[in-house]
Amino acid sequence: MSSALTDLCRYPIVQAPMAGGASCPQLAAAVSEAGGLGFLAAGYKTADGMYEEVKQLRGLTARPFGINLFMPQPRYADHAAVEVYRNQLAGEATWYETPLGDPDAGRDDGYEAKLAILLDDPVPVVSFTFGCPTRTTLDALAQAGTYTVVTVTTPEEAQTAQWSGADAVCVQGVEAGGHQGTHRDDPATDAAGIGLLSLVTQVREAVQLPVIAAGGLMRGGQIAGVLAAGADAAQLGTAFLVCPESGAHALHKQAMTNPLFVRTELTRAFSGRPARGLVNRFMREHGPYAPPAYPEVHHLTSGLRKAAAKVGDPQGMALWAGQGHRMARELPAGQLVEVLKGELEATRASLMPGLGNVS
């Protein structure tokens, strides 16, 4: 691990920022206390909501932690396509007895207000998804003492992050659950995602920045694999989603190992941006027709997803999950960090005796 990352966490284990409620203060605190790096997800939070979660997290741990922000997205120009999708979802609204949302709601997610808070009251780490901030922004965070990470899905995006002044990149392979962090949402590249091990190698050759590897990782042996490929740390989301401290819905947690949900796919059905989740009825019926309109589709389906969860129907929920979801273990987050550390050490020791200890 790079010296800067070593200062942030004892073990090369990062808990992914999972927007939508899973990454709550209790989960982040448990991971950081155990020697990993816990994260909060501010993408769908208001600026005030983010501030309150940071305050709560600081009351639970004195260890370093991170905050993830979504980069603002351009307005989708094809309003007719969004309206067609709205009409297609009319049956869902009737079935769940809830109105469809306003696709233009929440265009301003408070990005600038969140940045202002994080510059006034700095946190140890800030990461970004769906794009790269300006050098001015990254320099300002650096001056505030904040370590910055930019999510990337290609070597070219990693180079942009390096040129812009990021401290590290989170390299997200196509195996990752939840939204793909591509900087430019181009439907032509939906099926062109790069596998994690190959991507880590390509990014390592393209930039001179610390690399955090993310995508389908569930075991310490897999962490050893990405570290051997050149990563400095590994980021895991689905592995922590089922922990008791996670704020994910109980149906979402149960679905990870439910035999009804055997595979994952990338879909735009729930948000308009490609995201990997468990294949369910909603994804099968609406995924092929969803326009590349984020966050318009996200707001359109928000009420449907909440209504499905309320009536206990996982077939209408966004069950974000990485490709390794069947390996999920319902362990307390701190215990999971220790188990992952032990598996990592055992793998390293079996391959290269004397290199097992990661502490």
Side-chain angles (χ1 to χ4, degrees), residues 287-359:
Y289 311 105
Y294 176 89
E296 288 85 354
V297 172
H298 165 77
H299 294 304
L300 193 63
T301 67
S302 178
L304 296 177
R305 290 178 274 125
K306 291 176 183 176
K310 186 175 181 179
V311 299
D313 182 12
Q315 297 293 343
M317 298 169 61
L319 303 173
W320 303 139
Q323 287 185 346
H325 65 96
R326 298 303 292 271
M327 295 187 283
R329 298 176 283 199
E330 297 180 23
L331 299 174
Q335 183 179 344
L336 179 56
V337 170
E338 289 297 327
V339 169
L340 291 167
K341 175 213 169 195
E343 292 171 343
L344 169 58
E345 290 179 338
T347 301
R348 282 180 156 180
S350 68
L351 296 175
M352 299 186 69
L355 293 182
N357 197 320
V358 298
S359 60

Side-chain angles (χ1 to χ4, degrees), residues 187-222:
T189 65
D190 277 3
I194 305 174
L196 181 57
L197 283 177
S198 177
L199 184 57
V200 167
T201 302
Q202 292 179 48
V203 169
R204 174 55 67 204
E205 294 178 355
V207 300
Q208 289 76 49
L209 290 177
V211 167
I212 301 170
L217 304 176
M218 302 292 288
R219 295 286 190 267
Q222 293 172 302

Side-chain angles (χ1 to χ4, degrees), residues 132-176:
C132 183
T134 64
R135 174 169 284 278
T136 299
T137 295
L138 293 173
D139 285 349
L141 287 166
Q143 290 170 10
T146 296
Y147 190 84
T148 56
V149 182
V150 173
T151 304
V152 302
T153 62
T154 66
E156 292 76 20
E157 291 176 353
Q159 289 173 333
T160 297
Q162 179 169 269
W163 295 333
S164 299
D167 291 311
V169 288
C170 178
V171 175
Q172 185 194 47
V174 72
E175 305 94 335

Side-chain angles (χ1 to χ4, degrees), residues 70-272:
F70 286 170
M71 292 297 298
Q73 300 298 292
R75 182 181 295 273
Y76 185 59
D78 191 349
H79 302 293
V82 176
E83 191 60 27
V84 168
Y85 195 55
R86 169 189 281 278
N87 292 335
Q88 181 178 332
L89 296 176
E92 299 285 350
T94 301
W95 177 257
Y96 290 116
E97 299 181 341
T98 191
L100 295 170
D102 178 1
D104 291 320
R107 284 302 311 175
D108 179 10
D109 73 345
Y111 173 77
E112 295 296 339
K114 293 170 190 175
L115 276 179
I117 290 173
L118 295 172
L119 289 170
D120 182 63
D121 188 9
V123 300
V125 185
V126 173
S127 70
F128 298 87
T129 302
F130 300 159
C132 183
T134 64
R135 174 169 284 278
T136 299
T137 295
L138 293 173
D139 285 349
L141 287 166
Q143 290 170 10
T146 296
Y147 190 84
T148 56
V149 182
V150 173
T151 304
V152 302
T153 62
T154 66
E156 292 76 20
E157 291 176 353
Q159 289 173 333
T160 297
Q162 179 169 269
W163 295 333
S164 299
D167 291 311
V169 288
C170 178
V171 175
Q172 185 194 47
V174 72
E175 305 94 335
H179 285 96
Q180 293 288 293
T182 52
H183 292 191
R184 179 172 175 268
D185 186 11
D186 182 359
T189 65
D190 277 3
I194 305 174
L196 181 57
L197 283 177
S198 177
L199 184 57
V200 167
T201 302
Q202 292 179 48
V203 169
R204 174 55 67 204
E205 294 178 355
V207 300
Q208 289 76 49
L209 290 177
V211 167
I212 301 170
L217 304 176
M218 302 292 288
R219 295 286 190 267
Q222 293 172 302
I223 296 174
V226 294
L227 296 182
D232 297 273
Q235 179 172 286
L236 295 79
T238 305
F240 286 105
L241 186 145
V242 299
C243 293
E245 298 93 339
S246 160
H249 194 282
L251 289 174
H252 193 170
K253 294 182 180 183
Q254 294 164 10
M256 293 300 104
T257 53
N258 187 327
L260 287 175
F261 305 106
V262 297
R263 62 190 178 89
T264 65
E265 283 185 5
L266 290 172
T267 186
R268 294 178 181 271
F270 297 102
S271 72

